[in-house]
Amino acid sequence: MLGPVLFLIFISDIDSNLLSSILKFADDIKLFGKANKEEDSRILQADLNHLMDWSGKWQIPFNVSQCKVMHLGHRNNHSEYYLGNHRLESVNEEKDLGIYIIDNLKPTKQCQQAYYKASRG
């Protein structure tokens, strides 16, 4: 039981000096912010660079193969982002904590999955 508590204490400073918002759940981190202009994209990339620096300092590597980008909104400039030397894959949908998130934010996929699951049982 002490392991998860120590881990949370250990990563408590991961969001210091970030300009973008961050969500933490267990060992999962989500960085997000608006990206309507080139300057917004530069801020997000700078925050990704900061996270990589933090990762190196504390020797907690990110599993970059599981890191992805989802572009939301019509005004999003769909920039490419990098975590270290790894270009982050851009996705249109992702399952997170059992919930499907789609780039148009409509619940269609989640409703379909609930229907299929209910129909099988």
Side-chain angles (χ1 to χ4, degrees):
M1 192 62 169
L2 190 56
V5 173
L6 287 176
F7 179 76
L8 290 174
I9 292 169
F10 195 67
I11 68 163
S12 66
D13 70 333
I14 195 168
D15 54 355
S16 62
N17 300 322
L18 293 180
L19 298 175
S20 305
S21 299
I22 192 168
L23 294 173
K24 298 181 272 189
F25 180 78
D27 65 345
D28 192 33
I29 296 171
K30 293 183 181 24
L31 178 76
F32 61 97
K34 67 178 184 172
N36 297 334
K37 300 181 279 188
E38 190 64 34
E39 179 60 25
D40 299 333
S41 298
R42 278 195 289 274
I43 289 170
L44 282 167
Q45 184 59 59
D47 286 343
L48 287 169
N49 296 340
H50 176 76
L51 289 174
M52 280 304 289
D53 292 343
W54 181 93
S55 170
K57 175 183 175 185
W58 293 106
Q59 299 178 357
I60 300 179
F62 290 107
N63 186 347
V64 293
S65 65
Q66 292 184 357
C67 298
K68 299 173 183 153
V69 173
M70 183 179 290
H71 301 283
L72 304 174
H74 298 290
R75 295 184 351 186
N76 190 297
N77 63 9
H78 293 260
S79 295
E80 290 186 346
Y81 297 97
Y82 293 84
L83 199 53
N85 296 326
H86 181 82
R87 185 177 72 79
L88 299 179
E89 175 188 2
S90 180
V91 297
N92 296 326
E93 69 179 55
E94 188 67 24
K95 186 176 181 183
D96 185 40
L97 300 174
I99 304 294
Y100 286 92
I101 309 295
I102 313 295
D103 61 358
N104 63 12
L105 298 178
K106 293 183 179 178
T108 308
K109 178 85 173 199
Q110 187 66 32
C111 293
Q112 287 174 343
Q113 293 301 318
Y115 170 78
Y116 293 141
K117 187 175 181 180
S119 297
R120 287 189 305 226

